[in-house]
Amino acid sequence: MAGYGWDEYDPRIGGKQTIHDAENQLDITTELVKKPGGDHGGSWGVRVRGTPRKDTPQEFVTTVVFYIGVEGLGTLSVTNPYDKLGYKGAVNMEGRKEELGEFEVTITDGPKSNRHPPKTHETFDKRPLDRSMVHSVNVPESALWQAKGYIFKEFKRSFDEIIEKYGQGKAPPPWQSFTMETTSQQSGNLHMIQKVYRDSFQFDILFSSSSATERMTSSKLDDALEESSKNFGERYKQKFAAQPPFDKPKYDTFSKTMFSNLAGGIGYFYGDQVIDRSYAEEYDEENEGFWEEAAEARAAHQEALQGPYELLTTVPSRPFFPRGFLWDEGFHLMPILDWDMGVAIEILRSWFNTMDEDGWIPREQILGDEARTKVPAEFQVQYPHYANPPTLFLVIEGVMDKVSSKELPQKAKDKYTDILRSMYPLLKRNYHWYRKTQRGDLKSYDRKATSPKEGYRWRGRTPTHILTSGIDDYPRAQPPHPGELHLDLISWIGLMSRSLRRIATFLSETDDVTEYSAHEKAITANIDDLHWDSKAQTYCDATVDEYEESRHECHKGYVSIFPFLTGMLSPDNPHLEAVLDLIGDDQQLWSPHGIRSLSKQDEFYGTDENYWRSPVWVNINYLVLTNLRDVASPSSNAPGKVRNRARTLYSELRRNLVNTVYESWRETGFAWEQYNPDTGKGQRTQHFTGWTSLVVKIMCMPDLSGSEDGRAGSDGAGGGHEEL
């Protein structure tokens, strides 16, 4: 593939998607338009176009198969008079399903400019290629998602018949050999429609709801596609107005593509999932060697299928990670929130509706057999004592900002206030689940802190990983110890307490305001008390040494700056300057392409799996930028020197990060999971249009490249970071 994805996409309206298939020498464009109306969601249309690439031969043939299925109780049938040779003109279908009511589906023949391969073999008489072949079958509902297998099975059956009759030497060309039989059975729950074209082609797929006022037709699709593309472009300029230096035309397509692929990854998922609710005592992880005991408990395989669950969610990558991830979702929803607050809140509510009565949300939503085929068996099981970074609270804070702003009309404010009020009990339950299940041990090791309660430890540790933390292989204390306290986790819980305090204030929940304010204050104090290392001049995890005394485990990197990332460091915090020093030091975290995940000076830098041990991650860099911006703000109460340093770091990091993602996209056609801190090359998963799409928001952040008097940073730092 030379690239693929959405060029434009609005979750409510539709968009345009292009596949640059270099191997098959074809570019395919699909354009979708949704037309709301009636009692069942409305109608929609898709236009499919195929265009041979420049390097294709003169006689170029393409086979296209469109398949459609119906799940559960429902019907779907071909209504054309049966013709064993296939159907000339449009293929017409009608169906009924409780959720959709009665509906019609039309697969058009396309414009007269479409051409089909001529007769080159006598088999053409039985399978003429100037018409659509329709193969209708009934398959087990659990196998509907395996349509590709049924398509290939029918192709193989057809090919085997031809080889048996003619032998390989006298067989027709591939486009004639791999054809489907048009079945006399016209009803079924899976229908495969095959079309064969020469050179360029176009056809439409039209869905018309019987309860809508008008049927979808190709002429109406013409008008709707033009209108939706125009509206998307105008709205995009309004919602994502890039600020200098990214307000140049060369960034336009890049920005639209990044956002559209994030929004185009929104999907509805339904099915059961594998959960271990044995609540084995080993899962409390209270003993030394707890990871071995937990592994033995997992080996007992007490998991079971539970559900069904349903989830509306974005995904990190449609081809590689087509499911919901709790750690990712909060970042995904930040650009969606700017584009369409209603859609973002519906997704947010859907996630919280997967929460159990204790307050636990599965960190991966692997719903149904199809989803499980993408996940190794050892990673499918979800455990109700496993947490994940609560990034959904980032979205809650974003919602609060918008509801509190003067820009939102009063009617919309009232609507979203009611939604927040309905969600508030779920947010509280989730918060208290974290506090209960991830609590750390302060008392056993005589740790001196403002609060004897506020310390936290991720469950699910092994010597090499804390998958539950989201930053899997980031270096931690060795060996693992039940007395550990994790800096990133207390920072996340501090963010949760702040979010709940804000909502409680907004909803006039006075008692809750008092409770959450006390939690926030205690966590803020304990971050300094328990995790600041004065010798290393950085924040660190805490663990227990061989004498059962508390000590710090310092690996400068993302974990070290988590109090800053989550907004738990006030602008006048005495340690803020040291945090900025660490961020801006090119011998530690700073790189020409973004903030590294681990210091260059750390012994584990770039070692082993090297997942979170050097690469640049856009989601963490986004948090760095938002907090640098806040510190640099003229309204910040940070000292002038700190404000100026934050402004310089912000401006250079913003420029470096956006250009790194842009140049890699321009070179490869893809967004990537992470970026090399030395070369800027994208690496790991390609088409990673989840949190990497945060670059769109970063481009819209204010340009602070000049100081308050309009000159370059007043500390003289312009190109490098030696002086920082």
Side-chain angles (χ1 to χ4, degrees), residues 160-172:
D160 287 346
E161 284 185 358
I162 286 173
I163 295 301
E164 183 178 353
K165 183 173 182 178
Y166 297 102
Q168 293 192 8
K170 297 182 179 180

Side-chain angles (χ1 to χ4, degrees), residues 257-545:
T257 296
M258 295 296 290
F259 171 76
S260 295
N261 281 287
L262 170 67
I266 295 174
Y268 172 80
F269 298 84
Y270 179 88
D272 49 23
Q273 62 180 324
V274 185
I275 300 177
D276 179 349
R277 290 193 183 274
S278 63
Y279 300 102
E281 63 179 16
E282 291 87 351
Y283 292 157
D284 293 335
E285 301 183 7
E286 298 295 345
N287 302 321
E288 294 188 26
F290 61 81
W291 64 94
E292 296 171 339
E293 296 176 350
E296 291 178 4
R298 289 194 299 272
H301 293 294
Q302 299 187 67
E303 65 269 12
L305 288 174
Q306 297 188 7
Y309 295 81
E310 62 178 353
L311 180 67
L312 181 68
T313 185
T314 61
V315 299
S317 170
R318 282 192 294 159
F320 298 102
F321 298 109
R323 57 189 180 277
F325 288 77
L326 181 58
W327 165 217
D328 300 58
E329 191 65 11
F331 293 108
H332 295 174
L333 290 181
M334 298 307 289
I336 303 292
L337 184 65
D338 289 343
W339 178 260
D340 191 320
M341 188 171 174
V343 170
I345 288 179
E346 279 304 304
I347 294 173
L348 195 63
R349 294 171 75 181
S350 183
W351 268 92
F352 278 102
N353 285 337
T354 67
M355 186 168 62
D356 69 11
E357 61 184 12
D358 295 324
W360 170 70
I361 299 175
R363 67 188 189 93
E364 282 193 49
Q365 301 279 348
I366 311 168
L367 307 184
D369 290 336
E370 182 177 7
R372 284 191 283 274
T373 64
K374 286 283 189 178
V375 185
E378 63 268 26
F379 297 119
Q380 292 178 12
V381 183
Q382 301 299 298
Y383 297 91
H385 61 291
Y386 281 3
N388 222 200
T391 60
L392 297 181
F393 280 78
L394 293 171
V395 190
I396 293 295
E397 295 214 316
V399 171
M400 287 297 304
D401 291 341
K402 292 184 180 297
V403 172
S404 303
S405 74
K406 297 179 180 179
E407 298 176 3
L408 201 65
Q410 189 60 47
K411 186 176 181 180
K413 282 188 178 183
D414 293 342
K415 172 185 174 182
Y416 293 125
T417 298
D418 289 342
I419 291 174
L420 280 172
R421 193 180 301 278
S422 69
M423 291 181 63
Y424 182 57
L426 298 178
L427 303 179
K428 291 172 61 177
R429 190 196 308 170
N430 187 227
Y431 170 68
H432 287 291
W433 177 87
Y434 273 86
R435 290 178 61 84
K436 178 182 178 181
T437 64
Q438 309 300 301
R439 185 170 296 284
D441 186 351
L442 275 66
K443 294 181 180 179
S444 299
Y445 306 103
D446 195 28
R447 285 164 163 152
K448 307 300 182 184
T450 300
S451 168
K453 297 180 180 179
E454 302 301 340
Y456 296 92
R457 173 170 64 96
W458 295 109
R459 300 317 195 261
R461 252 215 84 170
T462 70
T464 57
H465 291 80
I466 308 182
L467 297 178
T468 50
S469 73
I471 51 177
D472 309 1
D473 66 334
Y474 191 95
R476 306 282 185 162
Q478 294 297 333
H481 194 283
E484 288 177 21
L485 299 175
H486 295 131
L487 172 61
D488 48 334
L489 182 52
I490 191 175
S491 301
W492 281 121
I493 293 179
L495 183 149
M496 296 174 85
S497 68
R498 181 181 69 232
S499 300
L500 284 167
R501 185 257 301 161
R502 289 185 63 190
I503 299 174
T505 302
F506 183 75
L507 299 177
S508 300
E509 297 285 348
T510 309
D511 291 344
D512 287 353
V513 172
T514 301
E515 178 184 3
Y516 298 132
S517 295
H519 290 177
E520 182 184 4
K521 182 179 179 180
I523 289 171
T524 301
N526 274 21
I527 286 174
D528 279 355
D529 294 344
L530 296 171
H531 294 283
W532 176 255
D533 190 295
S534 57
K535 182 179 180 181
Q537 283 293 291
T538 193
Y539 288 99
C540 309
D541 283 342
T543 188
V544 176
D545 63 20

